[in-house]
Amino acid sequence: ISLTIISFIFAIKQIANAIAGTYGIYFRAGTSYSLLPSSYNLMKSFQASIFNALYCFRVLSIGHSFIISTRHPTFVTTVARQFFSLQHHRTSISLQSTLTGDLFFQSSRSISIRVEHKINISRERKSSIETLANMLSYDVLSEQNANTTNAIIKHFSASEDFLTLSKAEGALILQRDEEDASKLQKGIDIAKGKGVIDPNFVPEEYITVDVLGKTPDQVADEILKRVRGESGSGAVVVLCGLSGTGKGTTVAKLQEKLQKEDGKQVVCWSNGNIFRSVTLLAATWCEQNGCDRFDAVKALTKENLASFMSMLEFEKFNGKFDTKISGLGIDALVSEVQNTDLKVPKVAKNIPTVAEVTQGEVILFAADAIKKMGDDGIFVLLEGREQTVNYVRTPLRFTLTMSDMSLIGKRRAAQRLAAAALADVDEGASGGEIVAALDCQLEKMVKEASS
């Protein structure tokens, strides 16, 4: 029975597609369609079948309505939400919980859909909807990149729930950025007070790149046009911007293009391992000086910090640039201990405390290391906050901006939905299953954001 019903569903779809492709579809008011799965285990595939079978039957004009009767209201709510999200129109859908009178189907879930008004699906409109459904294929979802987020943003462009989630995500991003900037500035002020960095230092001017409406490739090409015109065999490229503007994606694209198109040796620099190295030395000092636990007051004096920084050396070791830690009984290359000694609890839990008072020292160490690599013919890509990367000398400084700030929240919301939906569907899931998963996750995230 199950196979017969599913075959019938796909037959409806094929006939409807054939008619729509030639003439457009016209149905009389009061037309009804009934679909019956014979097993609860088939609900997931049945959901996709309904989506596909009704693909050409949905209302495309404002004011039309569906009456949907079912013994499984939660399931039908998902189907109804699919209609809403794909139509992008205000269509009235009423849900009715009913019981079938046929005892043979007492253990199954049934759905009856009655179209209340005439449906007219033009060939052009059908093509537009099909294009949107194809954008949300499993392959696109599994990419988890800009293509995925753009498809989801377009899919939910008329969704009030998605707009609500986007605003919440955007507000959180701005709040975190402001908090991070405040903490970094505090560290910079400490360094200036100690005389570690010049309080009157002025960095080179930043070049603004508006990423709105541009693909990662287009953003990278815009930056590379300037880089290729001003750089020699090596260079230092600094990239800043608010969270959500695509700094990480842009750095990855720049690295890919410089390596493949220009044949350059490229290094992506991060200050993280330098902070970890200083923290390891400070924690070791505490152990060797009789401290029961990490004692920031005793360990992080001006004299000790100067000593710790002198134990770090950035040069070529074994033919490649690396940072060497030499002191307090430690003799190691950072590349060899970055996933072991630099990740132990005594380091991880004390990094924030150490970072606050060593911003200046680490900034100067990084600036010197980056200059050495640039002078050696290496392209160094440095991503970070302006407060820290300001002290790296280079004319190739870029700030990514978003002229429509609402898109930052939409991107982050789409990223969260994409990751959650991918974990919720099986490999090779159909468009209907993906839409259902996205809708379910959106509803869940909106509730979380409002609680």
Side-chain angles (χ1 to χ4, degrees):
I1 295 175
S2 298
L3 292 175
T4 302
I5 293 170
I6 292 174
S7 298
F8 176 68
I9 291 171
F10 281 107
I12 291 176
K13 178 189 172 186
Q14 295 301 320
I15 294 171
N17 281 341
I19 296 173
T22 307
Y23 305 105
I25 300 178
Y26 298 88
F27 293 107
R28 292 191 303 275
T31 304
S32 298
Y33 309 95
S34 295
L35 307 170
L36 296 167
S38 60
S39 169
Y40 181 77
N41 293 330
L42 291 178
M43 289 301 289
K44 192 171 184 180
S45 59
F46 180 55
Q47 179 174 313
S49 298
I50 292 175
F51 180 85
N52 291 328
L54 299 178
Y55 192 65
C56 295
F57 298 163
R58 63 172 151 296
V59 179
L60 295 177
S61 301
I62 295 175
H64 288 187
S65 64
F66 284 114
I67 291 180
I68 304 179
S69 299
T70 179
R71 293 178 60 202
H72 201 301
T74 302
F75 175 59
V76 171
T77 299
T78 302
V79 177
R81 194 177 295 116
Q82 290 176 22
F83 291 149
F84 272 130
S85 61
L86 284 174
Q87 287 174 192
H88 305 304
H89 283 298
R90 291 186 177 182
T91 301
S92 172
I93 299 182
S94 61
L95 304 179
Q96 301 174 354
S97 180
T98 63
L99 292 174
T100 176
D102 189 340
L103 294 176
F104 182 79
F105 291 107
Q106 282 294 312
S107 63
S108 66
R109 271 67 175 170
S110 63
I111 288 181
S112 176
I113 302 177
R114 184 159 62 90
V115 182
E116 288 291 284
H117 298 278
K118 183 172 75 173
I119 301 175
N120 177 4
I121 300 181
S122 66
R123 192 182 318 175
E124 292 79 10
R125 183 58 176 162
K126 173 177 173 289
S127 175
S128 174
I129 295 173
E130 286 177 338
T131 300
L132 178 57
N134 289 334
M135 288 178 66
L136 286 170
S137 66
Y138 181 80
D139 288 341
V140 172
L141 182 66
S142 60
E143 286 176 2
Q144 296 285 297
N145 59 12
N147 293 332
T148 312
T149 56
N150 289 338
I152 292 174
I153 290 171
K154 183 174 182 180
H155 174 66
F156 286 119
S157 62
S159 168
E160 291 185 6
D161 280 350
F162 183 72
L163 183 60
T164 298
L165 180 62
S166 299
K167 287 180 178 178
E169 290 295 323
L172 284 174
I173 289 172
L174 292 177
Q175 180 183 338
R176 285 195 297 266
D177 278 355
E178 289 174 0
E179 291 174 353
D180 288 345
S182 177
K183 291 177 182 178
L184 285 174
Q185 190 58 52
K186 183 178 179 181
I188 297 296
D189 292 340
I190 291 173
K192 289 179 179 179
K194 293 188 298 184
V196 175
I197 57 178
D198 182 2
N200 299 315
F201 182 90
V202 178
E204 295 89 341
E205 184 178 356
Y206 281 85
I207 302 162
T208 300
V209 178
D210 187 357
V211 302
L212 183 66
K214 299 173 184 174
T215 66
D217 280 300
Q218 290 171 330
V219 174
D221 287 338
E222 185 174 336
I223 292 173
L224 286 175
K225 184 177 180 180
R226 184 70 173 261
V227 170
R228 287 165 175 157
E230 296 189 17
S231 62
S233 58
V236 178
V237 181
V238 168
L239 199 63
C240 298
L242 291 174
S243 298
T245 52
K247 297 188 299 297
T249 302
T250 302
V251 166
K253 279 293 179 184
L254 289 172
Q255 182 176 20
E256 177 186 338
K257 288 175 177 289
L258 283 168
Q259 289 174 333
K260 292 183 177 180
E261 298 175 11
D262 297 33
K264 300 294 185 180
Q265 184 179 354
V266 183
V267 170
C268 296
W269 176 269
S270 169
N271 289 342
N273 279 337
I274 308 304
F275 282 117
R276 292 184 183 92
S277 298
V278 178
T279 305
L280 174 63
L281 288 167
T284 303
W285 184 93
C286 288
E287 292 171 349
Q288 295 177 357
N289 285 271
C291 300
D292 294 335
R293 59 184 183 280
F294 188 86
D295 191 326
V297 175
K298 292 181 180 180
L300 304 180
T301 63
K302 182 178 179 179
E303 294 74 23
N304 275 358
L305 289 178
S307 176
F308 297 156
M309 294 306 301
S310 71
M311 297 175 189
L312 301 181
E313 180 185 11
F314 185 83
E315 289 292 346
K316 275 191 175 181
F317 300 97
N318 303 321
K320 64 179 182 179
F321 281 109
D322 206 338
T323 300
K324 187 176 184 179
I325 309 172
S326 303
L328 301 181
I330 302 172
D331 185 12
L333 295 175
V334 165
S335 64
E336 296 174 353
V337 297
Q338 60 185 353
N339 293 319
T340 54
D341 293 353
L342 295 185
K343 293 291 181 69
V344 296
K346 70 178 181 181
V347 173
K349 66 182 180 181
N350 292 308
I351 285 177
T353 301
V354 174
E356 183 177 327
V357 297
T358 58
Q359 287 289 343
E361 288 84 356
V362 171
I363 285 170
L364 294 182
F365 183 90
D368 181 63
I370 290 168
K371 183 178 184 302
K372 285 181 180 179
M373 288 188 287
D375 292 344
D376 198 56
I378 297 174
F379 268 77
V380 184
L381 304 180
L382 177 62
E383 172 202 343
R385 305 282 183 183
E386 286 190 20
Q387 291 98 324
T388 57
V389 300
N390 277 347
Y391 294 88
V392 176
R393 284 294 187 189
T394 177
L396 301 173
R397 323 178 73 83
F398 301 88
T399 299
L400 302 188
T401 63
M402 187 86 69
S403 52
D404 179 4
M405 292 295 289
S406 69
L407 192 55
I408 291 179
K410 289 177 181 177
R411 279 185 170 184
R412 183 56 56 87
Q415 288 168 352
R416 288 191 61 200
L417 287 169
L422 183 62
D424 205 29
V425 299
D426 296 329
E427 184 176 355
S430 67
E433 291 172 316
I434 291 171
V435 169
L438 287 169
D439 286 339
C440 180
Q441 292 299 331
L442 176 59
E443 183 178 5
K444 184 187 303 181
M445 290 180 188
V446 169
K447 287 180 179 178
E448 292 173 352
S450 60
S451 61

